[in-house]
Amino acid sequence: MDYFPLFCRLQGRRCLLVGAGDVAERKARLLLEAGADLWVGAPDFSPAFLQWAQQKAVTLLPGHFDPAWLTGCWLVVAATSDDVVNQQVAEAAEKQQIFCNLVDAPQQASAIMPSIIDRSPLMVAVSSGGRAPVLARLLREKLEAMLPQHLGQLAQRAGTLRDRVKKQFGSLNARRHFWERFFHSERLAQTLANGDSERADQITDALFSADIASQGEVALVGAGPGDAGLLTLKGLQLMQQADVIVYDRLVSDEILNLVRRDAERIFVGKRAGYHCVPQDAINQLLCEQALRGKRVVRLKGGDPFIFGRGGEELEALAQLKIPFSVVPGITAASGCAAYSGIPLTHRDHAQSVRLVTGHLQKSGTLAWQTLAAEQQTLVFYMGLAQAGEIQQQLIKNGMRSDMPVALVENGTSTRQRVVTGTLNELEALAGQVNSPSLMIIGSVVSLRDSLRWF
């Protein structure tokens, strides 16, 4: 081990930064965030340092390096563009037994600054010992994506509960189960993020009073329209924590490959005209799994609240007082349009967007005259089987028959296929594509040839 990893408390302690250029600015920001009493020495100072000095955030030492600047310092950073000066700073610090960081020669330094993931009070540092800083940065970026932003708030609250946990739970195993539930509680995390301390107290009390062995929860997670890269970070985190994944046909294999390896997977896929698992049975399944103490993720294609029947599933959970949370996903309208080079709105073409289910009711409740209005974009979900009716009703209610239309099959996936034409061809075009497909109707479709990127 070339370097001993150590977190230092610098609040109120004098630190010296030699240099006042761009690189020094980055080091200064880190030291100021740590609460250091920062002194900066250099012949000239960048505007940022002058502003900090005016705000009394730093103390400036004009001139060339003087070993006397080291008096009373706990840490020194040499960040000039002159290697000779940096070496002089390092040698002077060594004589006075003060740790020194050299920005351009970390392997010669007595201290190094790692890549930092800040979820205060939780801190994660990554270092390659100065040998591969780009690798350390890339690893930090991966960790940033894995660690939720709210972890710091959870850690802060956890620190106030340690005595209470020890008093209530006698065994180490019971404490471990409590803390796992605590840190995995999406409701608590969201409440803390919203600054609702009263609600956070209620959720915390519920965690203490619940039977740890039987306490389960459900998260409705939008998986997006197909491309795994469109999955949200929060959705990914919950998928990797889940005990059970309940998923439908629209969830791609690429996304399922990101699920925790040992999680149980339950398929409840549906197709138009054929329901593998009825909705009531899905609702019951979610409740049963949660009541067994499982962390359940209901993984839905697109967004759970846009034609995903997520509201019905939450109603069933709420009736049994089962904790739940919702993670939005990129809906098919947005994803498919973007990947097809079709802007849903455009100042010259459409000032509004309407998302419509293609499962048309026999009673004909759709306001076709409103849907046929100008200067808007229509997006029909699950509309292939009703393409002829959609075509007929829109034209009948005043939409021009040559209005551009696009049908997007397997949108955002590697199998995406787009078929374009006009409204009077819609029924015929629908026969050329397979489900799942999305219909986009409006003059914005005419922009596709100039805006599509693949």
Side-chain angles (χ1 to χ4, degrees):
M1 185 164 57
D2 295 332
Y3 291 89
F4 181 75
L6 178 69
F7 290 94
C8 301
R9 183 181 292 277
L10 296 180
Q11 292 174 352
R13 292 186 167 94
R14 181 179 296 186
C15 296
L16 174 66
L17 174 62
V18 181
D22 293 339
V23 175
E25 279 187 26
R26 294 197 292 271
K27 299 295 184 180
R29 293 182 194 279
L30 290 173
L31 292 169
L32 289 173
E33 287 177 7
D37 175 17
L38 185 58
W39 293 52
V40 184
D44 300 293
F45 300 94
S46 72
F49 283 102
L50 295 175
Q51 182 178 3
W52 284 328
Q54 188 177 18
Q55 297 169 348
K56 301 188 183 305
V58 303
T59 301
L60 302 184
L61 300 169
H64 296 284
F65 172 67
D66 184 343
W69 292 352
L70 297 173
T71 303
C73 288
W74 292 71
L75 175 69
V76 180
V77 179
T80 76
S81 58
D82 190 327
D83 292 340
V84 175
V85 174
N86 288 343
Q87 193 60 40
Q88 290 174 352
V89 175
E91 292 173 357
E94 187 76 17
K95 288 179 182 179
Q96 297 194 39
Q97 298 181 340
I98 301 173
F99 281 114
C100 180
N101 172 249
L102 294 174
V103 294
D104 289 329
Q107 291 178 276
Q108 301 174 26
S110 57
I112 56 178
M113 286 191 178
S115 294
I116 299 171
I117 299 96
D118 186 357
R119 301 288 188 272
S120 296
L122 179 69
M123 300 289 293
V124 180
V126 181
S127 172
S128 65
R131 289 177 172 81
V134 174
L135 177 60
R137 177 179 60 80
L138 292 174
L139 182 55
R140 177 185 64 80
E141 291 173 356
K142 291 183 179 296
L143 290 172
E144 283 276 11
M146 292 172 58
L147 300 177
Q149 292 292 326
H150 61 252
L151 273 185
Q153 293 165 303
L154 283 174
Q156 188 76 38
R157 175 160 285 251
T160 68
L161 299 173
R162 293 182 63 187
D163 291 341
R164 183 178 174 184
V165 171
K166 289 180 181 178
K167 184 180 295 185
Q168 179 157 338
F169 303 107
S171 70
L172 291 176
N173 191 49
R175 293 173 194 169
R176 178 177 62 82
H177 278 298
F178 171 83
W179 286 123
E180 286 179 351
R181 295 295 182 186
F182 177 88
F183 287 115
H184 286 150
S185 175
E186 188 63 28
R187 288 195 308 150
L188 178 59
Q190 189 62 53
T191 302
L192 289 172
N194 293 338
D196 189 345
S197 58
E198 182 177 350
R199 178 62 176 156
D201 289 340
Q202 294 173 355
I203 296 173
T204 301
D205 290 341
L207 289 172
F208 274 101
S209 61
D211 181 356
I212 292 296
S214 64
Q215 187 181 22
E217 59 185 356
V218 178
L220 267 62
V221 175
D227 185 349
L230 298 181
L231 183 70
T232 64
L233 291 178
K234 183 173 287 189
L236 175 61
Q237 290 155 3
L238 289 175
M239 288 164 53
Q240 294 177 342
Q241 295 167 3
D243 302 311
V244 179
I245 300 289
V246 180
Y247 67 101
D248 59 41
R249 183 176 66 97
L250 297 179
V251 178
S252 67
D253 291 339
E254 292 81 4
I255 289 175
L256 285 174
N257 287 337
L258 300 174
V259 169
R260 199 177 93 185
R261 296 299 180 189
D262 58 343
E264 180 183 0
R265 302 184 185 188
I266 302 176
F267 176 66
V268 291
K270 297 186 241 179
R271 293 174 176 83
Y274 171 73
H275 296 264
C276 179
V277 180
Q279 186 61 52
D280 288 344
I282 295 175
N283 298 347
Q284 183 178 354
L285 173 66
L286 296 177
C287 294
E288 289 175 349
Q289 293 293 327
L291 290 173
R292 292 175 186 169
K294 304 288 188 178
R295 287 172 297 192
V296 183
V297 164
R298 172 65 168 111
L299 199 57
K300 292 174 170 287
D303 181 273
F305 280 0
I306 298 182
F307 305 127
R309 304 187 74 170
E312 298 174 41
E313 294 171 357
L314 292 191
E315 286 178 327
L317 296 169
Q319 287 177 0
L320 296 178
K321 300 188 182 321
I322 295 173
F324 60 80
S325 59
V326 181
V327 179
I330 294 178
T331 189
S334 178
C336 294
Y339 275 49
S340 302
I342 301 172
L344 291 177
T345 63
H346 188 284
R347 186 170 59 179
D348 297 330
H349 296 268
Q351 284 73 53
S352 65
V353 181
R354 290 180 179 269
L355 309 183
V356 189
T357 176
H359 287 290
L360 306 181
Q361 301 296 323
K362 292 182 179 180
S363 58
T365 55
L366 287 183
W368 289 107
Q369 284 187 327
T370 303
L371 293 178
E374 294 288 334
Q375 296 294 303
Q376 66 178 342
T377 303
L378 303 180
V379 182
F380 282 89
Y381 288 65
M382 303 165 288
L384 286 186
Q386 303 293 336
E389 177 71 7
I390 294 171
Q391 172 184 324
Q392 179 183 346
Q393 289 292 346
L394 289 177
I395 293 175
K396 178 181 177 181
N397 284 274
M399 183 174 285
R400 56 189 176 89
S401 61
D402 63 347
M403 179 67 75
V405 301
L407 280 73
V408 185
E409 177 185 303
N410 291 313
T412 78
S413 74
T414 56
R415 305 179 304 281
Q416 174 174 304
R417 188 165 70 95
V418 182
V419 176
T420 59
T422 57
L423 180 58
N424 58 2
E425 301 170 321
L426 182 59
E427 185 174 13
L429 294 173
Q432 301 176 24
V433 297
N434 297 310
S435 181
S437 292
L438 197 77
M439 294 180 186
I440 304 175
I441 303 174
S443 63
V444 291
V445 176
S446 64
L447 300 171
R448 168 175 156 75
D449 288 338
S450 59
L451 298 182
R452 61 179 172 176
W453 53 278
F454 72 86

